[in-house]
Amino acid sequence: MAIGEQDQLTMNDLVNRLEEKKRRIREEMGGEEAIEKQHQLGKLTARERIALLFDPGTFEEMGVLAHHQQTVGDMAGKKTPADGVITGYGKIDGRLSCVAAYDFTVMAGSMGQVGEKKVARMREWALKNRVPIIWLIDSAGARIQEAAGSWFAETGDVFFEEVMMSGVIPQICAMMGPGAAGTAYIPALADFVPMVKGTSFMALGGPPLVKAAIGEDITEEELGGSKIHCEVSGVGDLEVEDDAACIAAIREYISHFPLNNLELPPIVQTDDPVDRRCEKLYQVVPMQMSRAYDMHKVIHEIVDNGRFFELKPKWARNMITGLARIGGYPVGIVASQPMWLGGAIDVNASDKAARFINLCDAFNIPLLYLVDTPAFLIGSSVEKQGIIRHGAKFLHATANATVPKFTVVVRKAFGAGYYVMNGRAFDPDLIVAWPGAQISLMGAEGAVNIIFRKEIGKAENPEARRQELVDEYRKRISPEIAAGAGLIDDVIDPADTRRILASALERTRGKKVERPWKKHGVVPV
């Protein structure tokens, strides 16, 4: 602009120039070629993702004019529109949330100094205003051209602040592309981590670094793709087909949560009658304790319109965790899965359940335990894996939770499996059993084989005597005995389960629990 030209411009001229500059930044991003490459990979751009995430017309961008500030060295002359990350806030189903969406079209979405100031501003704003924060990760990680050297000493605040926000506001980190090093720890500290199949990746070091450091040749997918983290490591919570499905999952997940830990989760209207009888359950659960069935069928029958949002569905499949509604009230479900390991609890199932319980408790979401477990796995293999300390996490989480807690013993609740699944000693607000259910230290067969081992061995017909003793022992572990002693609240008709739980959710909405003051518990790890 020539000297004196500024004085000749009107405010409209300045505004028009400004809007044109912003338009180019938003539309051109990292360039037409880079945008086309995203699309060829089956990925949406960061701005297209944001358009799907928020209600139409509600997103307000912050920092659109930002760009890198270096005038010398490797960054000199480079253009970094919005400095490679789009930040701002908008509404999801009418409720406010913040977002930081890394733009892979700009230097592979790398984390630049100015861009990270923008993201830090969003974290600060989200915490001050107590609203959820959402990361959409599609990034090569730290921008080495800016981060290498002693200036690295000032980095790392994102992780400290994530810990400070944990349990205060919901934190969602969607892996929609690569996320290495720093952008891998963001999801590790977040509450919910969906991953896009075939395009997402996270690891502490990418394949080139792995090759240089330890000599291992490996692809991104083999090292840290969605299958690895959603089925093997357990870091990912949900594998989705594409970017649109990922955004839809975020919107559905967040609908179950309050904006922060000082609010109650939202109630929604449902057209599914709360008093609907669930007579299909009569055919779902076999009376024989050793026969498998799919607990998902029980869940889908009792929740509103059969809608269940499962978390970590392909990891630790002997334990089911997820979100649903009953009578419009949000509820977190922790359920045994007899289809896998007979519903026995192992190391990963313990971790999965404990994390989910802590999540629901932090955000005032009631917990429903559906119990059918023969207890924890035993043996040298699980002992070497640390089954005791992992099981203790599960115990700690259930005992520590102060939200409304409800227990339905569907078929069996044996040993410490009964404890961790919110047994009588863990302060359930409702604990009921179905007819034929068993609550005991162990099943009849196991108890008889131990207690009467010698007697059976001396019998003229050992197998016949063993069966007689098993039949007698089963009579001692009827749920009606526990109900008669006031140890459980009732033995109920399975078809009434939905109605009874809906009533329990309604009457415990205002539950308050006072615990001894402490800085925090010492959680088993």
Side-chain angles (χ1 to χ4, degrees):
M1 185 179 297
I3 298 175
E5 184 180 344
Q6 174 78 29
D7 297 335
Q8 299 175 30
L9 295 176
T10 67
M11 181 58 73
N12 281 343
D13 293 331
L14 294 175
V15 168
N16 289 337
R17 286 189 177 187
L18 178 64
E19 289 306 314
E20 175 60 18
K21 184 176 183 178
K22 290 182 179 180
R23 184 196 64 78
R24 288 198 305 270
I25 291 170
R26 292 187 175 112
E27 292 183 3
E28 296 176 9
M29 303 176 67
E32 185 177 340
E33 185 177 335
I35 292 173
E36 179 58 27
K37 188 173 182 180
Q38 280 283 99
H39 291 160
Q40 288 175 355
L41 292 171
K43 297 160 67 176
L44 300 175
T45 67
R47 294 190 180 278
E48 289 168 336
R49 291 163 179 165
I50 287 174
L52 288 178
L53 177 63
F54 292 112
D55 300 344
T58 66
F59 178 64
E60 295 185 46
E61 185 172 355
M62 305 296 288
V64 65
L65 296 173
H67 57 84
H68 79 86
Q69 298 297 300
Q70 293 190 22
T71 58
V72 295
D74 294 334
M75 293 297 294
K78 287 187 180 293
K79 291 184 178 181
T80 58
D83 207 35
V85 61
I86 302 160
T87 58
Y89 35 81
K91 292 182 178 179
I92 299 175
D93 292 330
R95 301 191 304 154
L96 202 61
S97 289
C98 293
V99 71
Y102 288 87
D103 180 3
F104 201 81
T105 71
V106 178
M107 296 192 70
S110 55
M111 304 166 73
Q113 290 179 351
V114 174
E116 287 310 293
K117 287 180 181 178
K118 290 170 54 177
V119 179
R121 179 105 170 122
M122 282 298 97
R123 295 194 301 269
E124 178 186 357
W125 196 92
L127 188 57
K128 284 194 299 187
N129 292 281
R130 296 294 194 267
V131 299
I133 184 166
I134 301 164
W135 283 270
L136 305 181
I137 301 292
D138 192 358
S139 169
R143 188 176 295 165
I144 298 175
Q145 296 93 328
E146 296 183 60
S150 294
W151 281 104
F152 182 76
E154 74 168 345
T155 63
D157 52 333
V158 55
F159 310 121
F160 176 83
E161 290 172 13
E162 269 196 272
V163 174
M164 295 304 101
M165 292 188 291
S166 180
V168 180
I169 56 175
Q171 298 183 78
I172 298 167
C173 184
M175 302 306 297
M176 307 188 77
T183 43
Y185 273 118
I186 295 173
L189 292 168
D191 303 331
F192 175 52
V193 184
M195 297 186 70
V196 179
K197 185 177 181 179
T199 59
S200 65
F201 158 82
M202 58 176 159
L204 295 186
L209 181 58
V210 169
K211 174 65 174 177
I214 63 174
E216 181 182 8
D217 283 306
I218 193 166
T219 66
E220 283 191 350
E221 188 65 27
E222 294 168 333
L223 180 63
S226 59
K227 183 178 179 67
I228 294 297
H229 288 306
C230 293
E231 298 184 26
V232 182
S233 77
V235 177
D237 288 305
L238 188 66
E239 185 181 48
V240 295
E241 286 298 319
D242 53 31
D243 283 9
C246 187
I247 296 300
I250 294 171
R251 288 180 60 94
E252 182 171 358
Y253 171 89
I254 209 167
S255 71
H256 293 86
F257 283 77
L259 295 182
N260 58 67
N261 63 347
L262 297 180
E263 298 181 3
L264 293 174
I267 304 171
V268 301
Q269 293 294 319
T270 179
D271 57 3
D272 193 349
V274 294
D275 59 354
R276 170 174 55 81
R277 282 180 57 79
C278 306
E279 294 183 356
K280 290 181 180 179
L281 294 175
Y282 296 158
Q283 283 75 49
V284 170
V285 182
M287 295 302 295
Q288 300 92 329
M289 291 290 161
S290 60
R291 282 188 58 191
Y293 65 94
D294 189 352
M295 185 66 82
H296 287 102
K297 294 181 179 179
V298 175
I299 295 170
H300 291 307
E301 184 63 19
I302 64 177
V303 303
D304 291 353
N305 300 306
R307 186 68 183 176
F308 179 53
F309 189 83
E310 189 169 0
L311 299 178
K312 302 186 188 299
K314 296 181 180 179
W315 184 68
R317 299 178 76 170
N318 45 324
M319 183 67 66
I320 299 171
T321 57
L323 300 159
R325 290 185 176 86
I326 299 177
Y329 289 87
V331 62
I333 297 176
V334 181
S336 310
Q337 174 54 301
M339 292 289 290
W340 294 85
L341 297 177
I345 303 167
D346 62 358
V347 165
N348 286 342
S350 297
D351 288 355
K352 177 178 178 177
R355 177 171 171 79
F356 180 73
I357 292 164
N358 290 334
L359 172 67
C360 290
D361 188 51
F363 293 107
N364 307 312
I365 297 175
L367 287 160
L368 167 61
Y369 295 75
L370 298 174
V371 191
D372 189 350
T373 179
F376 283 83
L377 286 181
I378 58 174
S380 63
S381 176
V382 289
E383 292 298 347
K384 291 173 183 176
Q385 295 170 36
I387 188 68
I388 295 172
R389 60 185 174 86
H390 287 274
K393 291 185 207 177
F394 197 170
L395 278 170
H396 192 282
T398 294
N400 199 54
T402 59
V403 292
K405 297 185 291 187
F406 317 110
T407 303
V408 178
V409 181
V410 174
R411 193 168 62 170
K412 58 182 176 293
F414 294 158
Y418 170 63
Y419 299 155
V420 296
M421 293 293 282
N422 201 40
R424 179 67 178 80
F426 287 74
D427 198 25
D429 295 277
L430 175 73
I431 180 168
V432 297
W434 287 0
Q438 298 179 4
I439 303 172
S440 177
L441 175 64
M442 61 180 64
E445 290 82 358
V448 165
N449 288 339
I450 294 172
I451 298 171
F452 301 104
R453 178 173 55 86
K454 292 182 179 180
E455 180 180 337
I456 293 171
K458 293 177 181 178
E460 184 176 333
N461 187 334
E463 183 54 33
R465 180 55 182 156
R466 190 188 73 81
Q467 189 58 52
E468 287 177 6
L469 291 168
V470 166
D471 292 341
E472 290 175 11
Y473 196 90
R474 281 177 178 159
K475 297 175 184 177
R476 295 164 53 185
I477 52 179
S478 162
E480 294 181 31
I481 296 175
L487 303 178
I488 63 174
D489 295 318
D490 202 0
V491 180
I492 66 170
D493 179 347
D496 288 332
T497 303
R498 172 177 166 80
R499 174 185 61 79
I500 289 168
L501 289 171
S503 174
L505 282 161
E506 181 180 16
R507 68 174 177 266
T508 58
R509 178 79 169 172
K511 177 183 177 182
K512 299 290 182 184
V513 175
E514 297 294 333
R515 293 280 176 85
W517 183 92
K518 55 185 172 182
K519 189 174 181 180
H520 55 73
V522 182
V523 181
V525 295

